[in-house]
Amino acid sequence: MRYFTKQQGQKEAVPVDLESLGQDRYRLTVNGQTFQVDALSVDQGTLSLLVDGQSYNVEFEENGDEIGTLVRGQVNRTDVADERKLRMRAAAGSFSVEGRQVILAPMPGKVVKVLVAVGEEVKEGQGLVVVEAMKMENELKSPKAGKVTEVFAKEGTAVENNAKLVVVE
């Protein structure tokens, strides 16, 4: 099956082909590069992956078409659409993020740095807040160009999973 993925701050969607080989094995092709993947569900929201001999534990959380992942201490948010959904978006005229965007904490942690202030103009992909989770610092980036209208994050404070941090319009 073909999917199109777009990480936060990325301009273009990347084609991803996923083919089941049976018994939790897959062939994954990203931008023409092919990987052999063994996947085992460890528990709800966690996968153990063996990708071309390299082992990865991946924690993930789905939120609509967006999937948040934690891999080796790095948090990523990725928009995922299959070909049908991509055609529907194109017909509706949007694959880019529009409107009011609320940036949420991807997991429980501590706000170590707030990089923006209310009223500030930001570019797509610009850092907004740095959150420390599991002893790793993760810079959360703006999903679109716009203006910061609200900042909930305060340096040094603890945040829960999905806590509102910043709003960009």
Side-chain angles (χ1 to χ4, degrees), residues 105-155:
M107 64 188 58
K110 176 181 170 186
V111 176
V112 292
K113 191 163 213 157
V114 178
L115 305 171
V116 295
V118 172
E120 191 173 327
E121 293 288 332
V122 294
K123 297 177 185 170
E124 182 177 339
Q126 180 178 335
L128 302 172
V129 178
V130 178
V131 175
E132 182 182 280
M134 298 171 59
K135 298 185 182 186
M136 296 295 296
E137 290 189 359
N138 301 290
E139 183 177 83
L140 304 180
K141 302 178 186 301
S142 180
K144 64 175 256 177
K147 183 185 243 181
V148 176
T149 58
E150 295 178 79
V151 176
F152 299 98
K154 291 185 178 25
E155 288 183 17

Side-chain angles (χ1 to χ4, degrees), residues 1-52:
M1 175 137 205
R2 174 161 277 194
Y3 296 92
F4 294 88
T5 65
K6 183 176 174 186
Q7 288 191 344
Q8 220 172 24
Q10 243 181 349
K11 296 280 184 208
E12 298 291 323
V14 175
V16 175
D17 293 305
L18 184 64
E19 177 186 350
S20 175
L21 302 174
Q23 298 181 343
D24 299 324
R25 297 184 67 232
Y26 300 87
R27 180 176 296 122
L28 178 71
T29 305
V30 181
N31 268 345
Q33 189 172 3
T34 301
F35 304 92
Q36 298 300 317
V37 180
D38 290 297
L40 178 64
S41 181
V42 178
D43 60 48
Q44 183 67 22
T46 305
L47 289 174
S48 177
L49 300 178
L50 191 61
V51 181
D52 286 344

